[in-house]
Amino acid sequence: MYQSYSMELAGRTLTVDINRVGRQANGCAFMHYGDTTVLSTATASEKPRDGIDFFPLSVEFEEKSYAVGKIPGGFNKREGKASENAILTSRVIDRPMRPLFPKDYRNDVTLNNLVMSVDPECRPEIVAMLGSAIATCISDIPFDGPCAMTQVGMKDGEFVINPSQEVWDNGDLQLTVASTREKVIMIEAGANEIPEDKMIEAIYMAHDINQTINDFIMKLVNEVGKPKHEYTSCAVPEEMFAAMREIVTPDEMEVAVFSDDKQTREENIRKVTEKMEEAFADNEEWLPLVGEAVYQYQKKTVRKMILKDHKRPDGRAINQIRPLASEVDIIPRVHGSAMFTRGQTQICDVVTLAPLSEVQKIDGLDENITTKRYMHHYNFPSYSVGETKPSRGPGRREIGHGALAEKALVPVLPSEEEFPYAIRAVSETFESNGSTSMASTCASCMALMAAGVPIKKMVAGISCGLVTGETDDDYIVLTDIQGLEDFFGDMDFKVTGTHDGITAIQMDIKIHGLTRPIVEEAIRRTREARLYIMDEVMSKAIAEPRKEVGQYAPKILQVQIDPAKIGDVVGQKGKTINEIIDRTGVKIDINDEGAVSICGTDKAMLEKAADMIRIITTDFEEGQIFTGKVVSIKEFGAFIEFAPGKEGMVHISKIAKERIEHVEDVLTLGDTVTCICMGKDRMGRISFSIKDVPAQN
């Protein structure tokens, strides 16, 4: 027998089956929301992993093609590596749940979500988020839950709770909010310039709904939850901290970390660590803990400096941004480039433009999204933080940072009709000391403008941090956190936007949630900072998009034709379109609506190809004048080709004003001539004339 529990959520029934499947996992929730079905499990190792100083949590979101009635593409016919959507969903689940596990817990934990059926009205992502929280809460894994999540979309200016896939994809807001029983613990948003007040309203609407879900989860915990298991604590003993303070006093530690130069600070900490290792060389219990203990000592020092003394490690004021610089066109020959520097964080962004045929194809569970026109890729090489390791391709962090900057800029991009290009922006991290994703947003915005992409407004991003004390009222919000403040602080609150509103939010925290005053202050601070960055820094480098794409970028000319004429342009087995391409050197794409995109670098050849297409798709009418090439000569006249596959015949009597005996007396193969359409002759055939072309004035 199994237990089944249900609740009404946003007008639909959410059902959770317990002990029906997956009984060998520590916790398992078989989730049903509409016809969407997700199997969520939580498992933990029996013992802690040796030799690590972090909590080894893995979150998986497995998309199965059978969930939408498809067989995977490719030769293998089997699901491959996780899609970008799966990785981003895993990150959204990880971020609110990780802080709720014990700080000294080192057992491996895996949260797995298997998407088995998808109802377009009930997005599987929200079901998996709730499933992970429920499976962990009812398991025997130590976890300070419950934790609930709600998504908010917007349609026609109205908020929609847990929207359908169609509303989520096409609305003006994509907001995910996670909450504990008291506070907001995670925010993720993409928005079409939503004003700050409206965003706060949406956040706390979701937070209120989360409380009903948390009550439901607690009902499950009380009825079927397992007692939490005991575990081996990996916390540093208090006696060790006391001994460390004797070796390096708090004042000395403050001097070691109080520097605006990352390398200087790291060298100071290296010397402190060496001192500790020498002092504890004979203590077999404490020596392996030196690295973690020094980290904790730094953390306590930095937090005390900020919270009690209002002193930041680099000496800045609480609301002060690090030194800023921006420039464009630093890389020759590329289509657009820009560099943005904030303190010791430096991003170079390069934009590449291509015809729409090069958009990214997406094969996922969302049938509304099959292509992606704007691609933002973020790279984080080891040299950017002074380390050495081989590059193994983008990890989940790189994919997440690229997606955040992409989300920030999508609302200001021109439509395909306005700018018929596929666009790729690549952010190269030259130097990193906090908030590279926000620097990527700024650099990418400038690179797009430098490339001649007519974005509607400028976008900038900034991150705020937080240090909290013993009570909810004891806290400090920090504008523009650097790496050290991110590592030792409680929050990384990233917000991007224009002058008019927010385009993206990503909030990570390490504590059990934020009060509303903290959320409101962080949003206010980020607005002040991003306006300053746009007005005083970015606009000084480039104030608006360039009027044309650059010299080395492809030029695209669009022609609209009757869809019924597409076959005429393509020709039998592609003969006609390939002939146009061979003659002009352009690239041609045609969609089902008859929109023709002609791409090349030579404007004259673009116009030539466009003229050919217009001629091919134009029905001959009396009075039209064409220029063509003599391709065939017969006794009775000559055939003139006006465009590939488009020919007309000029009778011998219509070649010259005077009578001629032979066509060859006037015309030679390859001659270029101008003709006028005379309409239909007595036989109903289209007739052309050279001699009746009106004289040029």
Side-chain angles (χ1 to χ4, degrees), residues 277-447:
E277 288 172 340
E278 290 174 8
F280 302 139
D282 299 328
N283 190 322
E284 294 182 1
E285 181 184 350
W286 287 1
L287 187 59
L289 301 176
V290 166
E292 175 67 11
V294 171
Y295 175 87
Q296 293 292 340
Y297 196 1
Q298 286 185 79
K299 183 173 182 177
K300 291 179 180 180
T301 302
V302 170
R303 292 175 67 85
K304 180 260 178 186
M305 288 164 54
I306 293 172
L307 193 61
K308 304 302 180 187
D309 305 331
H310 289 197
K311 290 171 61 178
R312 299 176 74 169
D314 57 4
R316 279 183 292 148
I318 296 302
N319 62 349
Q320 185 179 352
I321 304 173
R322 286 171 288 173
L324 300 167
S326 61
E327 54 185 307
V328 295
D329 303 328
I330 71 164
I331 310 295
R333 300 189 74 87
V334 299
H335 301 165
S337 67
M339 188 162 70
F340 183 83
T341 306
R342 187 195 303 115
Q344 289 182 294
T345 291
Q346 188 174 63
I347 296 288
C348 175
D349 192 271
V350 178
V351 165
T352 305
L353 305 177
L356 289 170
S357 59
E358 295 192 33
V359 299
Q360 182 180 356
K361 293 178 175 60
I362 297 174
D363 184 19
L365 302 187
D366 182 359
E367 296 185 350
N368 295 321
I369 305 294
T370 57
T371 60
K372 186 162 71 168
R373 172 196 176 210
Y374 176 59
M375 299 152 278
H376 191 121
H377 297 149
Y378 165 97
N379 296 315
F380 188 80
S382 57
Y383 64 75
S384 67
V385 287
E387 297 176 358
T388 174
K389 66 177 179 180
S391 174
R392 302 296 186 199
R396 292 192 169 197
R397 178 183 179 277
E398 285 86 347
I399 289 171
H401 276 33
L404 177 59
E406 181 178 292
K407 193 183 296 182
L409 288 158
V410 163
V412 301
L413 292 176
S415 67
E416 287 186 11
E417 291 73 26
E418 295 170 309
F419 193 71
Y421 285 87
I423 308 165
R424 181 183 185 230
V426 180
S427 292
E428 304 288 0
T429 307
F430 285 173
E431 196 175 354
S432 173
N433 188 17
S435 289
T436 48
S437 61
M438 296 295 91
S440 296
T441 300
C442 299
S444 302
C445 178
M446 293 191 297

Side-chain angles (χ1 to χ4, degrees), residues 432-487:
S432 173
N433 188 17
S435 289
T436 48
S437 61
M438 296 295 91
S440 296
T441 300
C442 299
S444 302
C445 178
M446 293 191 297
L448 288 167
M449 292 194 289
V453 179
I455 63 173
K456 299 166 188 173
K457 296 174 186 176
M458 189 177 283
V459 176
I462 195 71
S463 178
C464 274
L466 175 74
V467 176
T468 56
E470 299 297 323
T471 67
D472 287 347
D473 296 329
D474 187 16
Y475 66 87
I476 289 288
V477 174
L478 306 171
T479 299
D480 180 27
I481 55 171
Q482 59 174 312
L484 193 71
E485 294 164 335
D486 186 5
F487 301 148

